[in-house]
Amino acid sequence: MKRLCLTVIGVTAPVLCGGTAAAQVRFDDVSFNMGVASQLYHGDFSAVTVPQIDSTERALAGAGYMGARGTLTLLAQDRQSLRLDFDAGMRQFVTNGFQLRNYAPRELSGSLRSTYTRRYRGGTLRVVPTVESRYIADRPPMPLYLPPGYNSAAVDANYSRAISPGLAVYGRVVGELKDYAAPRVLPALDLLDRRTITPSAGVTLLFRGFSETLDRTTVTFFAAYQYHSYPKQGGLGLPRADDGLQAGSEFTLDRREAHGFVLTLSGNATRNRSSSRRVEYNAGRIRTTAAVELGDDTQLDIAALWAVKRYIHPQEALVPGEEADNAASVNAEITRFLGDGVRAGIGGGWIRAETNFSGDYYERFSVSFSLTVNPRF
Amino acid sequence: MRSPLLLAATALAATVAPLRLGAQENALEVVENWNQVYDAAYHNYQGKEGAFRIVDAEWVRLNDELEQIRRTNPRRTRLLLPEIQQLSEQRTVATSEVRAARRQWYDSGDALISALDGYLDLLNLQMQGTPLGDAFNDLLAEFNRWSQRLEEVESQLGPRLSLELRPMPDVRALDTDTPVQLRNKARLLEEEARRVNNSLVDVEEEIDALRRRQERERSSADLQARYDRFDDIVPPVGDPEVDPPEVVPDSTGTGLAQTPAQRLERLETFRDEVEARRDQLLEQAREFRDEAERRGR
């Protein structure tokens, strides 16, 4: 907790020091969002961190949510900038279909991230401290899977530099603490507490699109080493520690102005080795997002994910927080731009996660309607 | 733990290696490389700009002529119209070429300035640790040479945005002006107002394109934030992913340092200035016409 407090100070210190730049302080990209959703869950998936068990394999949930986010620009100069991103939200569920009782989970979420950017020796240095907190009350049993709440603090430092026009290299180190702050009745949540340090390096190629537009294409290749320490997992006084190697790439084709679409495709492969033999695995993920303009006032956003994991040794028990081996999801939303800074969206989504060794799974279908307002300051 | 740390160190070393190995030679090489790219881009821009000016001057001349003879010389008017049409097309192409060349020039200028900043910092550091003597003098000469180049490039680039109004035409009503002279002066002002108004079209187009982009990007970002807020699309599959950091475009040496939001703000301010100038010109022209009418009585 002390570390979290220190990081909070780290995030807010630049803000407090920005007093001299008061004249440049401004809000950007502020949005208020609210909506309703209906979700259908089914499956027989079990999770170590969800101790309640209900025999139902089908549950229905209705949710109302609201959130706000934005950026506070504290300093914007040619050679340096300081921005503070904030995000907060609340979601309230009503559920139906459980055998024991109908739960009413409530989620609260908030994050604060400051980004200090500075041109330094011909390159760009970025330092990004972040604090994040999620809280969930009345967490329901499976199959209504809701990720557990946590407090986290992270610092991301990266330096990138051009080595020729349109080609840059970067080096980056990210350190993160994640504390699931388990209540007394849910001690298993503490098993998820994690400390991670991730040095990575990569190369980015940038190609301009058509002249007089901001369209562009970027391709990034990167490699990372991840060291994870789980102080509450492991036996015989040896906490679990994982060494992961990850390599991947991300491709973004931005043709928003010329053809009305943006496509991002990324993929990575991970080789995870651990002090605990049972969590040694190889994994891969492919993720894609796309935004397509449908006429003057409508946009379709799609996000899809496919993830697969294969353990090196036969699995006999669930790994806390990593209970699923394969997962796929597709989410889409059609947004209608109603007027100056007002949008309405109708969306739907599907997600499925499953294990290899037991064949358990959970699946969620959802539909939602939301309204978003972007006030101008 | 030791081997992963070694791997991490190797990965980082690979990234920063070009900066460390023979720092001065490497930095000088980068500067010289960008210097060549910049010179080529600058000369290309000047060439395109020169070609545009020739076409533009002729286009303006013919338009002025058309304005004067439209009612009095139909035969010449018929000849002028296709000529102006053809020149308009040439002018559009030339405008587009100038913009593209200007963008390349600015981009290479940004990259050269970045490289020069780094190299001058390095020379400065080296000078601080070098005793007075020939070696120091060599470093000082090198420092002065590239400092001058930096000033020259910054001066050539000037204000980055070409969002500047031409000076207000110095047209005044004199006590000795006849009504005809006053009307001619009013026409001049109205013509200038028309030109100013025409320039609004480009600005409005760019504002619309940027605003549209900003709205769409914000919409996608808001949706992503909603997914992230409650980890809605994070299945419990494995360790967290490593996403590459957001590309900082100026780190790739291709400009784009200004965000779309900042660019939009500058354009909106400029549009307001242009509109105010147009109204000011028309107001002045109206006063001249009123004065001409008063003196004609």
Side-chain angles (χ1 to χ4, degrees):
Chain A
M1 196 60 199
K2 257 184 204 167
R3 287 195 179 115
L4 184 63
C5 290
L6 281 175
T7 314
V8 172
I9 293 167
V11 173
T12 51
V15 179
L16 301 172
C17 296
T20 51
Q24 303 169 51
V25 172
R26 46 178 270 190
F27 278 106
D28 287 312
D29 292 334
V30 176
S31 75
F32 297 97
N33 173 266
M34 60 196 306
V36 288
S38 180
Q39 300 176 337
L40 173 68
Y41 292 79
H42 57 81
D44 52 359
F45 193 80
S46 52
V48 176
T49 56
V50 185
Q52 303 100 315
I53 295 171
D54 193 287
S55 58
T56 188
E57 290 195 3
R58 180 180 290 257
L60 192 64
Y65 55 86
M66 60 177 71
R69 63 182 282 268
T71 301
L72 189 60
T73 301
L74 297 157
L75 181 67
Q77 296 175 347
D78 283 346
R79 302 191 64 78
Q80 60 178 350
S81 68
L82 177 62
R83 295 191 165 83
L84 185 72
D85 297 301
F86 58 91
D87 186 295
M90 191 274 276
R91 182 161 64 174
Q92 174 70 55
F93 285 87
V94 289
T95 63
N96 194 10
F98 289 105
Q99 302 293 318
L100 288 173
R101 67 179 174 93
N102 286 324
Y103 297 79
R106 178 184 300 138
E107 292 176 293
L108 297 171
S109 164
S111 71
L112 205 56
R113 184 180 68 198
S114 78
T115 305
Y116 177 69
T117 307
R118 185 181 179 84
R119 300 279 296 274
Y120 182 71
R121 293 205 164 209
T124 304
L125 174 70
R126 266 193 172 175
V127 181
V128 188
T130 306
V131 287
E132 198 176 352
S133 184
R134 283 193 63 233
Y135 168 77
I136 174 165
D138 200 20
R139 193 168 172 226
M142 299 303 283
L144 205 161
Y145 176 73
L146 296 177
Y150 57 81
N151 297 313
S152 81
V155 178
D156 172 348
N158 68 74
Y159 180 77
S160 55
R161 182 179 166 123
I163 52 174
S164 69
L167 179 63
V169 290
Y170 73 81
R172 181 189 198 194
V173 179
V174 182
E176 186 188 22
L177 294 172
K178 212 158 186 176
D179 178 2
Y180 284 80
R184 204 170 288 169
V185 291
L186 286 174
L189 269 184
D190 270 340
L191 295 173
L192 303 182
D193 287 358
R194 193 185 72 223
R195 295 164 196 169
T196 297
I197 184 150
T198 308
S200 63
V203 57
T204 296
L205 293 93
L206 186 147
F207 308 95
R208 280 288 182 74
F210 294 101
S211 177
E212 290 306 296
T213 70
L214 294 174
D215 289 352
R216 56 188 181 266
T217 304
T218 54
V219 185
T220 299
F221 298 96
F222 68 92
Y225 161 70
Q226 293 177 299
Y227 174 75
H228 305 288
S229 153
Y230 297 85
K232 307 283 170 59
Q233 288 187 44
L236 304 172
L238 282 174
R240 173 184 160 193
D242 291 10
D243 296 314
L245 289 176
Q246 196 171 95
S249 67
E250 184 176 276
F251 167 77
T252 301
L253 181 65
D254 181 338
R255 290 290 178 272
R256 206 177 268 281
E257 287 168 60
H259 301 299
F261 76 88
V262 183
L263 172 72
T264 300
L265 186 65
S266 63
N268 64 59
T270 303
R271 176 186 184 274
N272 192 70
R273 297 297 178 264
S274 175
S275 57
S276 167
R277 278 168 49 92
R278 72 190 187 98
V279 284
E280 294 193 330
Y281 60 80
N282 298 322
R285 280 189 201 206
I286 294 174
R287 187 186 289 279
T288 182
T289 61
V292 184
E293 292 182 20
L294 307 172
D296 281 345
D297 302 319
T298 310
Q299 176 168 288
L300 169 67
D301 283 275
I302 300 172
L305 165 79
W306 179 75
V308 62
K309 183 170 69 179
R310 292 290 176 269
Y311 284 97
I312 304 295
H313 308 289
Q315 276 299 95
E316 290 162 1
L318 296 171
V319 178
E322 301 178 32
E323 289 88 351
D325 296 329
N326 312 310
S329 75
V330 181
N331 284 268
E333 181 159 300
I334 291 181
T335 304
R336 180 86 175 168
F337 297 86
L338 299 174
D340 194 15
V342 182
R343 307 190 299 271
I346 293 178
W350 166 79
I351 187 167
R352 182 186 168 97
E354 62 190 23
T355 62
N356 282 328
F357 83 99
S358 65
D360 292 352
Y361 76 99
Y362 84 88
E363 207 166 16
R364 182 188 73 207
F365 294 93
S366 61
V367 289
S368 67
F369 171 77
S370 70
L371 206 59
T372 305
V373 179
N374 292 118
R376 290 184 77 176
F377 293 97
Chain B
M1 183 63 195
R2 194 177 287 169
S3 62
L5 280 180
L6 273 175
L7 272 169
T10 309
L12 281 176
T15 308
V16 295
L19 314 178
R20 294 281 178 215
L21 295 174
Q24 187 181 340
E25 289 78 9
N26 186 48
L28 179 59
E29 205 176 304
V30 172
V31 165
E32 283 174 340
N33 178 31
W34 279 116
N35 200 30
Q36 281 179 6
V37 174
Y38 174 82
D39 273 341
Y42 181 50
H43 289 127
N44 180 45
Y45 168 72
Q46 283 188 314
K48 300 285 184 197
E49 173 74 7
F52 169 78
R53 283 194 187 285
I54 293 169
V55 176
D56 185 56
E58 184 63 6
W59 183 80
V60 170
R61 189 187 67 76
L62 291 182
N63 269 298
D64 286 347
E65 189 183 342
L66 180 69
E67 189 68 25
Q68 285 167 13
I69 55 118
R70 182 177 278 165
R71 288 178 190 155
T72 54
N73 192 343
R75 191 170 160 223
R76 177 70 183 143
T77 302
R78 275 198 300 279
L79 286 172
L80 275 179
L81 282 172
E83 216 173 322
I84 289 174
Q85 174 68 28
Q86 194 186 352
L87 266 178
S88 293
E89 285 163 15
Q90 283 180 28
R91 191 172 171 274
T92 306
V93 173
T95 306
S96 162
E97 286 176 350
V98 168
R99 283 180 181 163
R102 187 194 296 131
R103 181 175 244 182
Q104 282 175 354
W105 170 40
Y106 282 171
D107 288 350
S108 57
D110 283 338
L112 176 57
I113 287 171
S114 284
L116 279 169
D117 280 345
Y119 185 49
L120 290 172
D121 281 351
L122 192 65
L123 287 173
N124 198 12
L125 273 175
Q126 286 183 342
M127 278 195 292
Q128 286 173 26
T130 306
L132 291 176
D134 287 347
F136 182 86
N137 289 341
D138 288 347
L139 283 172
L140 185 62
E142 182 74 352
F143 185 89
N144 287 338
R145 176 187 163 213
W146 289 111
S147 286
Q148 280 170 11
R149 179 61 176 150
L150 179 62
E151 280 175 27
E152 190 186 359
V153 170
E154 283 179 338
S155 144
Q156 281 172 350
L157 287 166
R160 295 307 165 86
L161 286 170
S162 56
L163 302 180
E164 284 180 4
L165 282 167
R166 294 198 302 184
M168 183 85 176
D170 186 19
V171 181
R172 277 174 286 192
L174 304 175
D175 293 341
T176 52
D177 281 344
T178 64
V180 173
Q181 284 172 321
L182 280 172
R183 281 192 200 99
N184 281 342
K185 286 182 178 179
R187 196 177 302 138
L188 265 178
L189 290 167
E190 284 161 356
E191 181 59 21
E192 180 63 16
R194 188 182 62 80
R195 281 182 196 144
V196 167
N197 198 47
N198 285 346
S199 72
L200 266 178
V201 176
D202 287 344
V203 180
E204 289 284 4
E205 270 178 15
E206 194 168 349
I207 286 175
D208 285 348
L210 275 173
R211 189 171 288 147
R212 188 182 171 89
R213 169 179 278 275
Q214 195 185 35
E215 256 187 2
R216 268 66 180 163
E217 284 179 347
R218 191 182 282 152
S219 171
S220 297
D222 282 342
L223 181 64
Q224 189 60 46
R226 238 170 62 210
Y227 291 149
D228 291 343
R229 192 172 287 149
F230 301 112
D231 288 342
D232 270 347
I233 51 175
V234 181
V237 169
D239 287 334
E241 283 180 277
V242 179
D243 291 323
E246 185 190 343
V247 178
V248 182
D250 60 358
S251 284
T252 58
T254 57
L256 284 175
Q258 198 177 41
T259 65
Q262 288 167 326
R263 171 85 182 155
L264 187 59
E265 242 174 52
R266 300 284 293 267
L267 282 165
E268 285 175 338
T269 306
F270 180 67
R271 180 195 55 197
D272 294 345
E273 285 170 7
V274 171
E275 285 175 347
R277 169 63 60 83
R278 178 199 57 198
D279 295 345
Q280 191 184 355
L281 287 163
L282 290 174
E283 175 63 25
Q284 202 176 346
R286 199 174 305 119
E287 284 169 10
F288 278 34
R289 287 197 183 279
D290 290 348
E291 181 63 18
E293 203 170 313
R294 197 178 62 77
R295 288 187 192 183
R297 280 182 203 145

